[in-house]
Amino acid sequence: MPSATTLLPDRPVADEAFLADRADFVRTEAIRLIELAKVGHYSSVFSAAEIFSALYYGVMRTDASRPDWPDRDRFLMGKGHAAVGLFPVLADLGYFPAEVLNGYTRLGSPLGDHPDMTKVPGIDFSSGSIGHALSNGLGMALGGRMSAREFSVFVMLGDGEMQEGQVWEAALAGAHHRLGKLVAIVDRNGFQLDGSVDDVIGIEPLADKWRAFGWDVHEVDGHDAGAVRDLLRQLAERPADAAPSCVIAHTLKGKGVAYMEEEPGWHLGYLVPADAAAAIAEIRAGARA
Amino acid sequence: MSAASATTATPATLAEGSWQYRGLNAQNPGLDHLSDGLLDLVEAGVPVVAGTADLQYSNGLVKFAQRHPDRFVQFGISEQNMVSAAAGLATTGASPFVATFASFLALLCCEQIRMDVAYTKLPVRLIGHHTGIALGFYGTSHHATEDISVMRAIAGLTVVSPADGPQLRAAIRASAEWPEPIYFRTSRGRDPQVYGDDVVFEFGKGIEHSTGTDLTIIACGTQVHPALRAAEVLRQEGYSVGVIDMATIKPLDVELVRAAADRSSVVLTVEEHNVLGGLGAAVAEVMAESPSRARLVRHGIHDEYSLIAPPTHLYAHYRLDAPGIAAVVREIFA
């Protein structure tokens, strides 16, 4: 198929140390912003921090000066409640001034608990209702192939999200239409609001399910930013008519703050300033260790 | 993205009149208007992508699919996935039109329409076909008597109910200049024609066929044709009757409603839909906030599930045909 894309820039280059630093930046900024809102999804962000970091600093072709650039790679979040971890990355890359973060969730702010594409430059699709995002990404991958553009579409899904029927409708269609530029990333942190995913409605054997649906399945340590980067860069180069890819990223819900790692209730919560400062210090100390 | 095969033949051993599903288009030329409207758009350079959920013969998209297989997506029986994917397609510059039975589109996919299509302000075109009680004895699962109500409540969504195939085709052509997401409410393709092929469509404008001082009938969709026929009969009986085709239900042509209420003693809304939340409710909202003292009567399905019967029998039973509408009017003035 002839390409509508004449010259694509190189993918961003970042070493493991920088990606790890940006992942902790995601965590500490999320803590700071949640302090403004007085409620937020700490541990859902912490499990996904290295995935955000790897994608935006080491994989995706993006251009903050052109958020609507037609050839850009796309990122969608089925688990939109982790957007408080993505907003600092977008500000850091220059999609909007960092001061905008300081109004997080306050009256009239573009930044709420879930991402809104009509309000925030760099958000490729709005979310908040779990289960839609893979279908949205499917449409983007179809549109990209129809218009002979070479962008990839990365869709981060929660592991609890696997319980939504629409995910499997999209999984069937993605494989049927052979959307090689579509990459699902399951943040397999093991927990959802009401408890462990295994206890609520179990989803295993997850890799077998995706394989049975016709996807090319990979598993990775979701906190090894270098490994996530390398795998996603490789998958981004798959042909547009290959089978779509599913990455099961094994993560720890609340990664970086010890008491959150042990208690799934931190899916949603609030830390008073003193505890927030201590959590930020713990994350920074962990990075130096 | 495979095109449908062009099978429409039945074995020569079968008697005339036997038919099978893939012959629906040949039997039912009214179904062509959807595809024809999309073909018009492609010709005009609009990057149309059409999709359906295993109903390409029912909605006639098979014609478009055969002409432009590269612009057609078969989603299978996964309506919610189709609507969300259409929204994703729209972000890439495509002009997506997705079609399925109105009962599934407006109700099963309501949340996908709200979240992925309307909240995002994406120019997705939703075609809900076989509206109202048009599917007759297929029953309530296949009837859509709540879709106007539900779609009208979604902020930023335009709701259009064409009276016939030519008006649908004209509305599809006109959609190229309409930036909002649109829900098209269409019937079976067997509806009697109200308009000629040269009809033009203007979003947000009702069509005033006639004016009257006793009564203005405001109808939409399949009810425009019987409303016009009923008005003819009623005029012969001495009534002064006007008829408005309110083809766009949202945004409603408020000025036209107010003018009708100022002019006529009675405003009668007629719709193949529950009287709660539909066209009648939209007109009621305007009249309640206007100084006019005209009386409003809403005619349609009165908050119930339809009986089982062939469609024409149902239209007669619910007085949604010309004799029925005329009878309703006589009762109002009795």
Side-chain angles (χ1 to χ4, degrees), chain B residues 81-122:
Chain B
N81 180 49
M82 176 172 77
V83 169
S84 297
L89 268 160
T91 68
T92 68
S95 181
F97 286 74
V98 291
T100 186
F101 287 145
S103 53
F104 306 146
L105 188 57
L107 300 178
L108 179 62
C109 305
C110 173
E111 205 248 1
Q112 284 75 12
I113 292 172
R114 172 176 174 269
M115 275 301 298
D116 299 348
V117 174
Y119 168 52
T120 55
K121 303 185 169 105
L122 289 167

Side-chain angles (χ1 to χ4, degrees), chain A residues 129 132 135-136 166 169 177, chain B residues 74 81 84 111-112 116 119:
Chain A
S129 178
H132 297 198
S135 299
N136 303 141
Q166 190 178 342
E169 293 185 359
H177 291 298
Chain B
Q74 174 60 264
N81 180 49
S84 297
E111 205 248 1
Q112 284 75 12
D116 299 348
Y119 168 52

